[in-house]
């Protein structure tokens, strides 16, 4: 009874829209709807559903879901279309997505224009992989990210992680020096000494 199942899924999704933050149930229902549409011979409709979800919330998961329904001959064009649409997403989501899809040029461009505060607000689970990936190819950008990682720890006053902060600053120093950005490194040292001189650790 696929038509009936599809109607119930739509009713469930309508209920989910009433929840301000959504839930995992909403994602499961959306995935189920695409599977039902495919079984009903409406693969193009399933693609449009996946595309709408990706535009609303770009991520590695929604990208994988989207590409599942894209015809093989159209995948390259759809990938570019998806990456262009993702440009408007928040930086945290984009780091994982662009690392996974090897869109390094886009990631570098976005990180170069991001403010220090914007990067510091992100979890180290998001930023550390980017810093490691860019350390050799784009040491200046990696240094900026490592700087944010270190400052995030100091600003949060997490003394048990000060050793990690020092390691991040060492990596930042290497990146700055490899890029000839000696003034940026000196400015970072001055900022830390001025704002955090009481943190002997």
């Amino acid at each position: 009874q696929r038509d009936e199942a599809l109607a119930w899924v739509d009713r469930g999704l309508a209920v989910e829209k009433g929840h301000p933050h959504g839930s995992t149930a909403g994602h499961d229902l959306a995935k189920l709807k695409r599977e039902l549409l495919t079984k009903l011979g409406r693969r193009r409709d399933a693609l449009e559903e996946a595309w709408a979800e990706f535009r609303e919330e770009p991520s590695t998961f929604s990208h994988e879901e989207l590409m599942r329904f894209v015809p093989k001959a159209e995948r390259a064009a759809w990938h570019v279309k998806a990456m262009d649409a993702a440009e408007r997403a928040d930086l945290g989501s984009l780091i994982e997505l662009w690392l996974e899809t090897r869109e390094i040029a886009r990631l570098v461009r976005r990180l170069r224009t991001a403010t220090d505060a914007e990067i510091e607000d992100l979890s180290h689970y998001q930023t550390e992989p980017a810093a490691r990936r860019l350390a050799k190819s784009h040491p200046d950008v990696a240094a900026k990210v490592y700087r944010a990682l270190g400052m995030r720890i100091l600003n949060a006053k997490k003394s048990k992680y000060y050793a990690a902060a020092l390691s991040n600053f060492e990596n930042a120093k290497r990146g700055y020096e490899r890029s000839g950005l000696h003034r940026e490194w000196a400015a970072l040292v001055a900022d830390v000494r001025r704002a955090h001189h009481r943190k002997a650790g």
Side-chain angles (χ1 to χ4, degrees):
Q1 305 296 320
R2 290 169 182 167
D3 286 318
E4 187 177 351
L6 183 59
W8 276 101
V9 167
D10 282 332
R11 290 170 74 175
L13 287 170
V15 171
E16 276 296 303
K17 286 183 179 179
H19 292 265
H21 303 294
S23 69
T24 55
H27 289 294
D28 291 342
L29 285 171
K31 186 174 181 179
L32 179 57
K33 180 176 182 178
R34 290 189 288 271
E35 291 171 358
L36 286 168
L37 287 170
T38 301
K39 288 177 180 178
L40 288 165
R42 297 168 57 186
R43 191 173 182 84
R44 203 71 195 181
D45 290 338
L47 172 59
E48 289 304 319
E49 290 280 337
W51 174 231
E53 183 174 289
F54 178 83
R55 282 183 299 169
E56 185 176 341
E57 192 177 342
S59 67
T60 54
F61 170 77
S62 59
H63 180 259
E64 287 173 5
E65 274 293 288
L66 171 64
M67 299 311 285
R68 278 180 59 205
F69 298 97
V70 173
K72 195 170 184 179
E74 300 176 26
R75 282 180 185 169
W78 268 95
H79 174 74
V80 173
K81 182 180 178 180
M83 294 302 101
D84 288 343
E87 294 273 1
R88 297 182 292 275
D90 65 274
L91 181 57
S93 299
L94 287 178
I95 288 176
E96 183 181 5
L97 174 62
W98 282 344
L99 285 176
E100 183 71 23
T101 56
R102 300 181 183 179
E103 290 284 346
I104 302 304
R106 291 179 187 268
L107 178 59
V108 167
R109 185 167 62 248
R110 181 64 180 268
L111 286 170
R112 280 201 172 120
T113 59
T115 64
D116 291 331
E118 186 180 1
I119 302 174
E120 287 171 28
D121 280 343
L122 301 176
S123 164
H124 68 279
Y125 293 111
Q126 296 170 309
T127 51
E128 274 184 9
R132 288 196 300 269
R133 174 64 178 80
L134 301 175
K136 289 184 178 179
S137 59
H138 300 84
D140 61 316
V141 180
K144 183 177 182 178
V145 178
Y146 277 123
R147 176 204 179 280
L149 282 162
M151 294 302 292
R152 188 171 185 269
I153 294 171
L154 292 188
N155 291 332
K157 301 178 182 178
K158 296 181 178 179
S159 58
K160 65 179 180 179
Y161 297 122
Y162 283 171
L166 287 170
S167 177
N168 288 322
F169 289 141
E170 287 170 359
N171 287 325
K173 181 182 181 182
R174 278 194 288 272
Y176 283 133
E177 289 180 342
R178 283 189 61 197
S179 307
L181 301 174
H182 303 289
R183 288 185 179 179
E184 281 76 359
W185 168 246
L188 170 57
V189 172
D191 287 345
V192 171
R193 286 178 174 167
R194 181 181 63 256
H196 305 283
H197 63 279
R198 293 183 180 179
K199 297 172 183 173

